[in-house]
């Protein structure tokens, strides 16, 4: 494949490996364009900073397109009449370029290969041995790892845009090199190449570029985490080949970044900020106290509740360098000229948002579902019903300016200076998607409902994946209860009449004050774990359930049912008379009684005691002993029956439990059950990606992954056809998903 048209301008000017002008706010350090010769070796820390900033600078040229390629070609936004013909053509899959001129400004692969070429130049010329030997320090160790990550990310974006591209891994610095033939590769080959390429650099620290920016973005947010880029490559590889093992590697890679702290990042829990009604509003059913967090990439990198992971910093003014054009495309503006937004949400997105059920607690801890009839037409127009993230991020009103009516649309996500690439919630959604493809939908579901820690894993994940292979995989993920704090405070086992644990009932905290993990769906739809209809578990196939054995088990033997006799009451003891030992059974006369030392006044009591004692030993004790003998005999008889019945019950119960355990393991490891759960959770994840990531340039690729995973182009074509029915037939051919450029790139 000849690349003379792509690389010619680079070759004629030399290899621009360190362009440091253009971004006046962030990257301009006052020097001119730095052109490195073919034999120039990067050996000093100055080379490190200059060249790294040059590569970051070049990313600005493709930043806007990373959003537009993934958003305007999907179903959640539409292109308005006032938009440019280039943008309209991009949205309608008509942005291909075939002539000598670049007919569409959004179809310019030169910009991607400019970044790639600078990365190639850097990697070819950086002296990996340069450093301070006294401190065993390598100047370029971390920079080299980061350049590998940036190059892999740019290549992934390029192949996702064009489908079939040249793979160039050496710098192009001459006209002859630009005219050389290079292998044409597709997404699968890009994943293979860069998975292998990135593995040696996983876990390296970020470079320390110094303070090259302003307060609007932390310098480390300009870098691309190797673990996350690698996770993306594994995820695309998984869906292309419908490979659960690749999905497992993707999940592990995303998890590795969540836990990675080598460059000072905190463990990423989950941002628990949410758009919500106040508890008082829910209690009084007066919906006038609504709040929503302000979405921002600009918080300090790696801190608690920090959404931003990676951004491409842009110039602050549209008159200089690379300005973030998305700010004008998504919003009304009148700074330099009055212009309505070019991109607006579709009814598809509005309807999805309104279809979400909002469940939450009121001031009395009572579960409340917000009903539609509580809102008037104006409230509904303002999107105060359903998922509240739409209300928090989007607004529209009519204004009059110079006798002309305009629609003033504001999308908060695109009021910022910089272009976002990765953020925390996006990472968790990708992790959940990978886990679902890997065959663990109940694990994936937790990220939407209540969040994850070791307790939720133990009670809501482990019981449903029973093989040794499952346990080995799940054991990779450790979520300390002290760090990952969910709304679940404890669990109570629920048992059936046979004592079999059937489920674990979650006991929730009384406050979310210390909570660090909350289900993503709760960011706009109340508390998702309170919604009884949200992500219900698929019922396993019960056709093989051991019902006959269960019926035979019967009831647990209870002694009360056997009519055990009551123990005879022991008679009150009668004391033996004082004369009994010498004169048994004889009542002495009064004189005889006095003669042995008795008192006349006690004689009558003495005579009575002899009679009572004789009756006690002749009648009372024999009767009691006979009763006790009969009692013991009956008790022994019934105990033997009870013991035999209990042994028989335990035998039947053990037989049932053995059969039950066989059924349980077979039922929950049943591929058909897993598949049903996967499809159910996958739909929830796809909807959640729409609700959470709308306007951020991910939707088209979210649909594309589903189309590849299910080997069904309808998964992509049908949603987009709801926006424009004419696109259905075109998108049934996967080659039309991609851009084409002058017969050199694309299909």
């Amino acid at each position: 494949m000849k690349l003379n048209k792509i690389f010619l301008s680079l070759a004629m000017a030399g290899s621009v490996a360190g362009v440091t002008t253009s971004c006046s706010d962030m990257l301009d350090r006052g020097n001119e364009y730095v052109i490195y010769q073919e034999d120039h070796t990067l050996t000093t820390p100055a080379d490190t900073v200059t060249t790294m900033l040059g590569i970051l600078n070049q990313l600005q040229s493709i930043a806007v397109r990373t959003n537009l390629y993934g958003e305007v070609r999907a179903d959640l936004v539409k292109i308005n009449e006032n938009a440019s013909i280039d943008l309209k053509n991009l949205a309608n899959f008509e942005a291909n370029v075939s002539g000598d001129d670049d007919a569409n400004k959004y179809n310019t692969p030169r910009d991607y290969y400019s970044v790639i070429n600078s990365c190639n130049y850097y990697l070819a010329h950086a002296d990996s041995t340069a450093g301070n030997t006294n401190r065993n320090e390598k100047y370029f160790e971390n920079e080299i790892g980061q350049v590998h990550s940036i190059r892999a990310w740019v290549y992934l974006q390029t192949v996702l845009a064009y489908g079939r591209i040249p793979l160039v891994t050496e710098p192009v610095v001459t006209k002859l090199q630009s005219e050389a033939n290079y292998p044409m590769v597709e997404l699968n080959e890009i994943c293979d190449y860069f998975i292998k390429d990135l593995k040696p650099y996983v876990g390296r620290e970020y470079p320390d570029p110094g303070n090259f920016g302003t307060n609007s973005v932390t310098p480390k947010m300009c870098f691309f985490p190797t673990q996350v880029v690698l996770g993306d490559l594994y995820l695309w590889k998984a869906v292309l080949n419908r490979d659960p093992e690749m999905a497992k590697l993707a999940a592990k890679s995303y998890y590795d970044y969540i836990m990675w702290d080598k460059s000072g990042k905190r463990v990423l829990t989950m941002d628990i900020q949410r758009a919500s009604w106040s508890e008082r509003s829910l209690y009084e059913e007066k919906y006038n106290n609504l709040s929503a967090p302000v979405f921002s990439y600009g918080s300090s990198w790696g801190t608690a509740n920090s959404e931003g992971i990676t951004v491409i910093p842009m110039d602050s003014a549209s008159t200089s360098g690379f300005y973030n054009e998305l700010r004008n495309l998504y919003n009304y503006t009148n700074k330099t000229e009055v212009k309505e937004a070019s991109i607006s949400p579709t009814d598809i997105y509005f309807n999805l948002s309104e279809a979400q059920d909002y469940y939450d607690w009121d001031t009395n801890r009572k579960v409340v579902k917000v009903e539609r009839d509580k809102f008037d037409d104006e409230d509904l127009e303002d999107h105060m019903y359903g998922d509240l993230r739409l209300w928090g991020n989007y607004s529209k009103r009519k204004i009059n300016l110079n006798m002309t009516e305009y629609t003033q649309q504001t999308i908060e996500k695109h009021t910022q200076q910089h272009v976002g690439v990765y953020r925390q919630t996006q990472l968790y959604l990708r992790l959940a998607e990978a886990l679902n493809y890997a065959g663990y939908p109940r694990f994936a579901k937790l990220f939407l409902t209540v969040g994850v820690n070791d307790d939720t894993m133990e009670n809501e994940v482990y019981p449903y994946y029973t093989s040794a292979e499952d346990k080995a995989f799940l054991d990779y993920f450790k979520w300390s209860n002290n760090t990952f704090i969910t709304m679940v405070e404890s669990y109570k086992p629920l048992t059936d009449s046979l004592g079999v644990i059937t489920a674990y009932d979650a006991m929730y905290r009384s406050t979310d004050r210390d909570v660090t993990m909350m289900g993503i769906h709760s960011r706009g739809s109340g508390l998702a774990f309170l919604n009884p209809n949200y992500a219900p578990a698929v019922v396993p196939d019960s056709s093989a359930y051991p019902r006959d054995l269960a019926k035979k088990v019967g009831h647990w033997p209870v002694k009360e049912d056997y009519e055990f006799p009551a123990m005879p009451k022991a008679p009150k003891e009668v004391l033996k008379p004082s004369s009994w030992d010498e004169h048994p059974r004889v009542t002495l006369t009064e004189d005889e009684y006095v003669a042995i030392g008795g008192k006349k006044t006690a004689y009558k009591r003495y005579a009575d005691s002899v009679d009572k004692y004789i009756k006690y030993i002749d009648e009372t004790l024999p009767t009691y002993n006979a009763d006790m003998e009969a009692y013991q005999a009956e008790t022994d008889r019934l105990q033997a029956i009870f013991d035999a019945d209990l042994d028989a019950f335990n035998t039947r119960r053990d037989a049932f439990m053995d059969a039950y355990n066989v059924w349980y393991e077979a039922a929950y490891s049943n591929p058909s059950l897993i598949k049903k759960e996967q499809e159910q959770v996958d739909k929830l994840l796809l909807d959640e990606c729409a609700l959470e990531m709308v306007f951020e340039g991910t939707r088209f690729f979210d649909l594309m992954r589903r189309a590849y995973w299910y080997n069904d182009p309808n998964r992509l074509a049908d949603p987009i056809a709801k926006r424009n029915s004419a696109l259905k037939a075109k998108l049934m051919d996967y080659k039309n998903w991609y851009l084409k450029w002058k017969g050199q790139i694309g299909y």
Side-chain angles (χ1 to χ4, degrees):
M1 175 64 201
K2 292 188 176 182
L3 298 183
N4 56 306
K5 290 188 178 181
I6 296 176
F7 279 128
L8 183 57
S9 59
L10 291 176
M12 297 299 288
S15 178
V16 184
V19 181
T20 58
T21 60
S22 182
C23 188
S24 58
D25 292 333
M26 302 291 297
L27 305 177
D28 185 3
R29 298 178 64 84
N31 53 308
E32 298 294 326
Y33 286 85
V34 178
I35 300 176
Y36 294 112
Q37 300 302 319
E38 189 172 4
D39 59 351
H40 180 76
T41 302
L42 310 178
T43 59
T44 70
D47 290 342
T48 302
V49 173
T50 301
T51 310
M52 176 62 67
L53 297 185
I55 292 172
L56 296 178
N57 175 278
Q58 287 180 298
L59 287 172
Q60 294 177 311
S61 65
I62 64 173
V64 168
R65 270 171 283 170
T66 64
N67 178 283
L68 297 180
Y69 286 169
E71 202 64 50
V72 303
R73 297 189 298 163
D75 59 331
L76 302 180
V77 301
K78 62 183 179 181
I79 305 303
N80 298 325
E81 284 300 317
N82 66 314
S84 69
I85 188 63
D86 285 354
L87 192 60
K88 291 177 180 176
N89 285 340
L90 180 64
N92 291 323
F93 297 84
E94 296 174 355
N96 296 321
V97 175
S98 57
D100 292 332
D101 297 327
D102 290 343
N104 190 303
K105 76 171 188 174
Y106 299 114
N107 185 358
T108 53
R110 289 190 190 94
D111 296 332
Y112 289 87
Y113 277 93
S114 175
V115 183
I116 290 168
N117 201 41
S118 291
C119 291
N120 289 341
Y121 186 93
Y122 181 97
L123 296 175
H125 291 83
D127 182 359
S128 61
T129 65
N132 187 321
T133 55
N134 293 331
R135 292 187 295 181
N136 194 28
E137 179 183 82
K138 299 289 177 56
Y139 289 146
F140 289 87
E141 184 177 36
N142 299 328
E143 286 81 352
I144 287 172
Q146 186 53 210
V147 172
H148 276 278
S149 293
I150 293 172
R151 184 177 67 166
W153 180 82
V154 175
Y155 254 117
L156 180 58
Q157 306 317 302
T158 309
V159 77
L160 288 175
Y162 291 94
R164 182 173 173 269
I165 62 173
L167 178 61
V168 185
T169 58
E170 297 296 327
V172 175
V173 296
T174 67
K175 186 175 185 295
L176 183 63
Q177 287 173 322
S178 72
E179 294 175 342
N181 290 319
Y182 295 91
M184 297 297 290
V185 295
E186 297 179 336
L187 179 54
N188 212 27
E189 289 79 16
I190 288 293
C191 291
D192 285 339
Y193 183 90
F194 286 102
I195 285 171
K196 183 178 180 180
D197 185 66
L198 286 187
K199 278 183 178 180
Y201 306 102
V202 171
R204 287 198 180 182
E205 295 183 34
Y206 277 169
D208 183 8
N211 184 18
F212 66 81
T214 67
N215 292 330
S216 62
V217 66
T218 303
K220 287 185 178 180
M221 288 179 66
C222 301
F223 297 129
F224 290 69
T226 307
Q227 300 94 320
V228 180
V229 177
L230 187 60
D232 285 351
L233 293 166
Y234 279 131
L235 185 61
W236 281 105
K237 181 74 176 175
V239 299
L240 286 170
N241 299 280
R242 292 169 287 286
D243 185 350
E245 294 304 313
M246 278 291 163
K248 289 181 180 180
L249 293 175
K252 288 180 177 180
S253 293
Y254 293 133
Y255 171 81
D256 288 345
Y257 179 74
I258 288 171
M259 298 299 178
W260 178 70
D261 63 356
K262 231 179 183 182
S263 284
K265 175 184 69 65
R266 289 172 61 111
V267 170
L268 292 184
T269 52
M270 188 85 81
D271 188 347
I272 65 170
Q273 299 181 81
R274 59 194 185 106
S276 60
W277 293 107
S278 70
E279 291 182 352
R280 180 160 293 279
S281 292
L282 297 171
Y283 173 74
E284 296 177 347
E285 295 187 343
K286 295 179 180 178
Y287 297 101
N288 53 11
N289 193 354
L290 178 56
S291 63
V294 177
F295 176 89
S296 175
Y297 274 99
S299 55
S300 296
W301 175 84
T303 58
N305 294 330
S306 170
E307 270 293 307
I309 294 176
T310 303
V311 301
I312 297 176
M314 307 294 283
D315 287 299
S316 60
S318 59
T319 55
S320 62
F322 286 100
Y323 176 75
N324 182 3
E325 182 189 0
L326 301 174
R327 302 167 79 174
N328 295 343
L329 293 177
Y330 283 96
N331 295 294
Y332 162 92
T333 179
N334 62 1
K335 290 184 178 180
T336 56
E337 63 175 330
V338 176
K339 187 175 181 181
E340 294 182 339
S342 298
I343 304 171
S344 294
T346 60
D347 288 340
I348 298 166
Y349 172 49
F350 289 147
N351 293 338
L352 175 65
S353 180
E354 189 173 319
Q356 305 308 305
D357 291 328
Y358 187 103
Y359 281 83
D360 213 328
W361 279 313
D362 66 10
T363 54
N364 292 328
R365 210 65 169 173
K366 176 185 175 184
V367 179
V368 175
K369 178 184 179 183
V370 176
E371 301 291 352
R372 195 176 195 276
D373 60 10
K374 302 298 181 183
F375 300 91
D376 59 27
D377 291 342
E378 185 177 347
D379 294 335
L380 295 174
E381 183 70 20
D382 287 339
H383 310 289
M384 298 172 70
Y385 174 73
D387 191 280
L388 298 180
R389 280 171 286 192
L390 173 55
W391 174 88
N393 189 58
Y394 167 81
S395 64
K396 182 182 73 172
R397 66 189 182 96
K398 297 291 185 182
I399 62 169
N400 285 293
L401 188 64
N402 300 327
M403 306 298 291
T404 303
E405 184 177 77
Y406 294 95
T407 298
Q408 187 179 51
Q409 174 180 290
T410 301
I411 292 177
E412 294 292 339
K413 289 183 179 181
H414 291 295
T415 58
Q416 302 172 65
Q417 179 177 338
H418 312 300
V419 176
V421 176
Y422 289 121
R423 66 181 177 96
Q424 180 175 292
T425 308
Q426 173 192 16
L427 175 62
Y428 271 102
L429 285 168
R430 295 265 175 92
L431 170 58
E433 184 181 346
L435 288 169
N436 194 43
Y437 293 148
Y440 301 90
R442 291 178 182 245
F443 188 0
K445 184 177 69 175
L446 282 180
F447 292 103
L448 302 182
T449 54
V450 75
V452 176
N453 61 14
D454 286 342
D455 279 350
T456 59
M457 290 287 291
E458 185 67 28
N459 293 285
E460 299 191 44
V461 177
Y462 275 96
Y464 302 102
Y465 304 101
T466 57
S467 70
E469 181 183 356
D470 289 337
K471 186 178 186 305
F473 175 70
L474 295 174
D475 281 348
Y476 187 86
F477 302 89
K478 302 298 184 184
W479 311 87
S480 168
N481 292 333
N482 295 326
T483 301
F484 298 91
I485 305 171
T486 71
M487 284 296 293
V488 179
E489 189 166 29
S490 62
Y491 284 90
K492 180 177 69 175
L494 302 178
T495 59
D496 61 12
S497 60
L498 301 177
V500 177
I501 296 176
T502 56
Y504 293 87
D505 190 20
M507 315 300 289
Y508 295 109
R509 301 178 192 277
S510 59
T511 175
D512 62 2
R513 184 177 58 248
D514 299 322
V515 170
T516 62
M517 283 286 281
M518 189 172 287
I520 298 171
H521 196 60
S522 301
R523 290 168 69 88
S525 293
L527 295 174
F529 55 83
L530 299 178
N531 186 341
N533 300 315
Y534 194 76
V538 175
V539 178
D541 179 11
S542 62
S543 60
Y545 186 89
R547 289 185 181 82
D548 291 341
L549 289 175
K551 291 177 182 177
K552 292 178 181 178
V553 171
H555 294 290
W556 200 301
V558 179
K559 279 195 172 184
E560 286 77 2
D561 295 338
Y562 286 76
E563 298 183 354
F564 276 83
M567 180 181 290
K569 185 177 180 181
K572 184 177 180 181
E573 184 179 3
V574 176
L575 295 177
K576 185 168 61 174
S578 57
S579 64
W580 187 268
D581 290 337
E582 291 187 21
H583 308 284
R585 308 184 72 86
V586 174
T587 303
L588 300 177
T589 65
E590 184 176 351
D591 291 339
E592 291 172 334
Y593 178 68
V594 172
I596 64 172
K599 295 182 179 179
K600 287 185 177 184
T601 55
Y603 179 75
K604 186 174 185 312
R605 290 196 303 274
Y606 156 73
D608 290 342
S609 69
V610 173
D611 292 339
K612 289 179 180 179
Y613 190 69
I614 292 173
K615 183 177 181 181
Y616 174 72
I617 63 174
D618 287 351
E619 299 178 17
T620 304
L621 280 181
T623 300
Y624 170 72
N625 291 334
D627 290 345
M628 280 297 296
E629 186 176 346
Y631 159 78
Q632 192 62 52
E634 180 66 5
T635 299
D636 291 345
R637 184 183 73 82
L638 293 175
Q639 185 67 45
I641 295 173
F642 174 81
D643 290 343
D645 288 349
L646 182 60
D647 288 343
F649 170 83
N650 286 332
T651 299
R652 296 193 302 272
R653 184 174 181 272
D654 289 346
F656 163 73
M657 286 302 300
D658 289 343
Y660 172 85
N661 289 331
V662 170
W663 168 82
Y664 184 93
E665 292 192 15
Y668 283 99
S669 62
N670 188 325
S672 64
L673 175 76
I674 297 293
K675 182 178 179 182
K676 288 179 182 178
E677 289 185 333
Q678 283 178 297
E679 291 178 354
Q680 179 194 56
V681 172
D682 189 54
K683 182 183 184 307
L684 293 172
L685 284 170
L686 185 60
D687 287 348
E688 198 63 40
C689 287
L691 295 166
E692 177 66 26
M693 301 298 299
V694 64
F695 312 133
E696 297 183 47
T698 65
R699 178 65 171 181
F700 183 77
F701 302 116
D702 291 340
L703 295 174
M704 185 190 289
R705 285 197 300 278
R706 269 68 182 185
Y708 277 129
W709 177 259
Y710 293 102
N711 194 24
D712 180 7
N714 287 288
R715 300 272 180 162
L716 180 140
D718 285 346
I720 297 174
K722 292 179 181 178
R723 167 174 67 84
N724 182 348
S725 59
L727 294 174
K728 173 63 189 283
K730 187 173 189 177
L731 295 176
M732 290 302 291
D733 183 349
Y734 79 94
K735 292 182 179 180
N736 292 325
W737 300 351
Y738 301 99
L739 295 165
K740 302 176 180 65
W741 191 80
K742 299 185 179 183
Q744 296 187 43
I745 293 182
Y747 292 103

